[in-house]
Amino acid sequence: MDDSRIVRAAAVQISPVLHSREGTVEKVLDAIATAAAQGAQLIVFPETFVPYYPYFSFVLPPVLMGKEHMKLYEEAVEVPGPVVEAVSSAARTHGVVVVLGVNERDQGSIYNAQLIFDADGTLLLKRRKITPTYHERMVWGQGDGAGLTVSHTAIGRIGALACWEHYNPLARYSLMAQHEQIHCAQFPGSMVGPIFSEQTEVTLRHHALESGCFVVNATGWLTPEQKAQITPDPKLQVVLSGGCYTAIISPEGVHLCEPIREGEGIAIADLDFSLITKRKRMMDSVGHYARPDLLQLQLNGTPYSSFSAPAMAPVSPIPSLVHEDPSPDGVLSPTP
């Protein structure tokens, strides 16, 4: 382990272009260029940022959200596809690792997906949120254990979870056990109010301490005009406010820069990997502080599938419709 490594990380708090995949992707590419120009080697974006988080599902009853849900289908991201190619090219051009949240469309279903691109543009991981939360269950399908894996990137070992997956201690432990060095978290932002950002801060600072890793978290942001676009009801617009907490946290649970709680912006900080060993010397949850003789985690890492093809029996060759021997003129003759 290279304790002398220092990585500059950026967490982007940003608003989407509602109902426009292309418009939101342009903002992603601009933010990558801006952060890279400031020396960032890792750039993290909010939960399902492309094309946008389904805020409509939080303020509309299911019976009335069909039209908005269909719009999301139309703008959702296919993997692989043009969005992946564009972000991959930007990561490669700027030599940065990118963690991007997208609404992934797979045929007739949409998933909350996290994409990790290496600094050479390679898509290392596409994982799906294992359990959508509350209203989200009307929008997204469930993920599987195959995505609970740590990616080995140019800057170190990166793990990722989305939003309330951080309240699943076994999901977090699966990444801790793989010795993640940087944990990338993504939340929607602009929801519920200040209590949401307060809870997010408690959750992520605890994970940093428990895992002994850095946490880089990005949340989204809605402008007043966007809130009105989602719902004309002023009372419902209130619940689409607050809840933002874009931050970078050390393995000791300390903020490495001022968190962004309102508006757009980029949080940037240097991650000194020696702090990982400093923390784990005191308490290593998957090492000297673990008790595998008492407690163990079993992970089913099999990819999700609704269809398993049966083993096919050997097929007998079909009798030839032509003679094996050519006719005198060298042309195969039909069997009589």
Side-chain angles (χ1 to χ4, degrees):
M1 180 174 176
D2 184 5
D3 286 348
S4 64
R5 183 182 304 178
I6 296 179
V7 171
R8 177 160 291 186
V12 182
Q13 184 157 297
I14 188 171
S15 62
V17 178
L18 294 178
H19 307 142
S20 175
R21 177 180 57 237
E22 286 72 20
T24 301
V25 169
E26 283 301 314
K27 295 194 71 170
V28 168
L29 300 180
D30 288 345
I32 290 174
T34 298
Q38 298 180 58
Q41 299 162 274
L42 167 67
I43 306 172
V44 181
F45 289 91
E47 180 180 12
T48 59
F49 183 64
V50 182
Y52 47 88
Y53 178 84
Y55 292 101
F56 63 84
S57 64
F58 194 58
V59 295
L60 290 177
V63 71
L64 297 180
M65 66 180 235
K67 183 178 179 180
E68 291 300 321
H69 200 183
M70 287 296 290
K71 286 182 183 178
L72 187 62
Y73 265 86
E74 294 167 4
E75 299 297 326
V77 175
E78 292 186 344
V79 181
V83 171
V84 171
E85 293 172 4
V87 177
S88 171
S89 177
R92 181 170 58 253
T93 297
H94 297 287
V96 296
V97 176
V98 176
V99 180
L100 178 66
V102 302
N103 289 271
E104 179 208 356
R105 180 172 180 176
D106 185 355
Q107 304 299 324
S109 295
I110 301 179
Y111 298 91
N112 177 333
Q114 293 176 295
L115 308 180
I116 298 180
F117 298 85
D118 209 350
D120 64 358
T122 301
L123 178 60
L124 295 177
L125 180 68
K126 179 198 76 176
R127 69 168 305 269
R128 294 168 174 173
K129 188 174 185 179
I130 53 178
T131 304
T133 303
Y134 192 49
H135 58 286
E136 298 171 351
R137 295 175 191 172
M138 296 298 298
V139 177
W140 298 320
Q142 292 185 320
D144 56 45
L148 292 173
T149 185
V150 166
S151 298
H152 293 250
T153 75
I155 59 171
R157 296 189 297 274
I158 291 180
L161 292 174
C163 202
W164 277 15
E165 286 187 306
H166 292 90
Y167 288 147
N168 187 324
L170 299 183
R172 292 192 301 105
Y173 195 82
S174 70
L175 300 180
M176 293 163 56
Q178 297 172 65
H179 309 290
E180 63 176 356
Q181 295 167 305
I182 305 173
H183 180 82
C184 297
Q186 299 174 314
F187 284 71
S190 286
M191 282 180 63
V192 183
I195 186 64
F196 194 22
S197 59
E198 292 168 9
Q199 292 172 348
T200 301
E201 177 176 354
V202 169
T203 301
L204 296 184
R205 293 180 75 178
H206 173 75
H207 182 71
L209 286 164
E210 191 172 65
S211 181
C213 72
F214 294 95
V215 174
V216 181
N217 182 58
T219 57
W221 163 259
L222 290 177
T223 66
E225 294 75 19
Q226 288 176 318
K227 296 173 191 176
Q229 187 177 352
I230 294 168
T231 174
D233 187 338
K235 294 181 180 178
L236 292 178
Q237 291 173 16
V238 171
V239 302
L240 295 178
S241 303
C244 295
Y245 174 71
T246 293
I248 302 176
I249 306 162
S250 81
E252 298 174 303
V254 176
H255 287 124
L256 294 178
C257 60
E258 185 65 27
I260 303 173
R261 302 180 188 271
E262 187 174 353
E264 292 189 310
I266 302 179
I268 295 181
D270 291 332
L271 316 183
D272 181 352
F273 276 40
S274 68
L275 294 179
I276 297 176
T277 302
K278 182 181 178 184
R279 171 61 181 170
K280 290 193 172 185
R281 181 185 70 85
M282 300 288 291
M283 197 280 293
D284 184 357
S285 293
V286 296
H288 61 76
Y289 212 75
R291 286 295 305 273
D293 54 322
L294 303 178
L295 304 165
Q296 293 184 353
L297 170 63
Q298 180 178 339
L299 171 65
N300 179 2
T302 305
Y304 218 38
S305 177
S306 299
F307 175 70
S308 178
M312 301 297 290
V315 179
S316 300
I318 299 175
S320 176
L321 297 180
V322 296
H323 290 301
E324 293 297 326
D325 297 324
S327 61
D329 59 2
V331 179
L332 293 176
S333 303
T335 301

